[in-house]
Structure formats: structure tokens, C-alpha cells
């Protein structure tokens, strides 16, 4: 099961993301947090695959939080979410992926699927569940 933490100060945004991720990724392994302190405590108890981190999360500037978390949890994939598309460069410099909160839900899902290396099974007999051609690739 995919394990995701959604760290966003807005409960409505967290709930919307939970519903989207459950529906599109089929995971129930989602935890919500509303501030950096709770995030740190949650990370100490859980080992998530992915962190969706809102730029405005209370407690620490987002790029600083990313850098600290990546030192402590080098395998953790972090996606910074922001209403300001101008934050993308700072997010990338901090070692995180970036999604603008105005992006289409499918863009968010595609980014997460890519980060988590989830592939949609095509049902084709020569393609395995990872999307790799297994026959006839000479």
C-alpha cells in the first residue's frame, strides 16, 4: 500500500486531496497533518513513501523544511504545493518536486504516479504490470 502524508494548514484542502488520492491511486494509507510539529511527530512514527507539503505550512519556511526532511529521510519523496507558481524554482532548489495548486487534478496524479513509479496496466499480453514490453522487443 502506498503511504502518503498530506501536510497542509487548510482542512478542506487536505480532505479534497485525500478523496482525490483514494479515488485515483486506490490507497487508504493517507495521513493528514496541519503543522510542522505534527508532521515531525508523524514522520517519526511512520515511514511514508511520499509527502505532499503545502508551502504555507505553519512552523517553518517550506524550502527549509524540505532540506531538513531530506537530510533526515533521504528516501522520502517530497512534493511542494503552492498557490504561487513562482515558488517552483525554490522548491526544486530545495530538492522537492512542485505542483501549482491551480493545476488540474490529473496533473497532480501523473506527477505522483511518476514519483512513485506507478504504471497503469494496459491489459496487453506483451506488457507487464510495470508497463514494460515483455515480448517482441528486439
Amino acid at each position: 500500500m502506498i503511504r502518503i502524508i498530506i501536510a497542509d494548514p487548510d482542512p478542506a484542502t487536505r480532505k479534497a486531496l485525500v478523496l482525490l488520492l483514494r479515488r485515483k491511486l486506490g490507497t487508504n494509507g493517507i495521513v493528514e497533518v496541519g503543522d510542522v510539529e505534527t508532521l515531525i511527530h508523524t514522520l517519526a512514527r511512520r515511514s511514508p513513501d511520499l509527502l505532499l507539503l503545502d508551502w504555507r505550512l505553519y512552523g517553518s519556511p517550506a524550502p527549509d523544511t524540505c532540506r531538513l526532511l531530506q537530510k533526515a529521510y533521504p528516501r522520502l519523496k517530497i512534493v511542494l504545493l503552492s498557490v504561487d507558481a513562482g515558488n517552483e524554482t525554490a522548491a526544486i532548489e530545495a530538492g522537492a518536486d512542485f505542483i501549482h495548486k491551480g493545476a488540474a487534478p490529473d496533473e497532480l496524479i501523473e506527477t505522483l504516479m511518476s514519483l512513485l513509479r506507478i504504471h497503469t496496466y494496459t491489459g496487453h499480453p506483451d506488457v507487464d504490470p510495470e508497463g514494460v514490453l515483455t515480448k517482441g522487443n528486439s
Side-chain angles (χ1 to χ4, degrees):
M1 170 176 30
I2 302 166
R3 296 169 315 263
I4 299 172
I5 295 177
I6 299 172
D8 193 297
D10 179 28
T13 299
R14 291 194 311 263
K15 291 294 181 199
L17 286 168
V18 167
L19 291 173
L20 177 67
L21 298 178
R22 282 184 179 156
R23 191 181 69 200
K24 295 288 189 172
L25 298 181
T27 185
N28 286 320
I30 302 171
V31 176
E32 303 173 49
V33 300
D35 58 65
V36 171
E37 183 178 341
T38 306
L39 172 61
I40 299 303
H41 290 296
T42 302
L43 283 167
R45 293 188 322 268
R46 301 182 185 272
S47 178
D49 301 302
L50 179 79
L51 169 62
L52 291 176
L53 177 63
D54 184 83
W55 192 271
R56 303 171 296 120
L57 191 68
Y58 306 127
S60 178
D64 294 344
T65 301
C66 280
R67 288 182 189 96
L68 291 171
L69 291 176
Q70 289 186 338
K71 285 180 184 175
Y73 306 96
R75 298 184 65 153
L76 178 64
K77 294 170 180 68
I78 302 173
V79 177
L80 270 169
L81 304 169
S82 178
V83 295
D84 183 355
N87 290 331
E88 182 173 10
T89 300
I92 292 168
E93 288 173 355
D97 281 86
F98 179 85
I99 292 287
H100 181 257
K101 280 194 166 180
D106 286 343
E107 183 180 337
L108 171 65
I109 295 301
E110 287 175 23
T111 299
L112 300 184
M113 289 175 70
S114 174
L115 282 171
L116 296 167
R117 294 184 174 26
I118 299 171
H119 302 282
T120 304
Y121 179 56
T122 65
H124 190 281
D126 294 340
V127 177
D128 72 9
E130 294 296 316
V132 176
L133 184 65
T134 57
K135 293 183 184 175
N137 58 352
S138 39

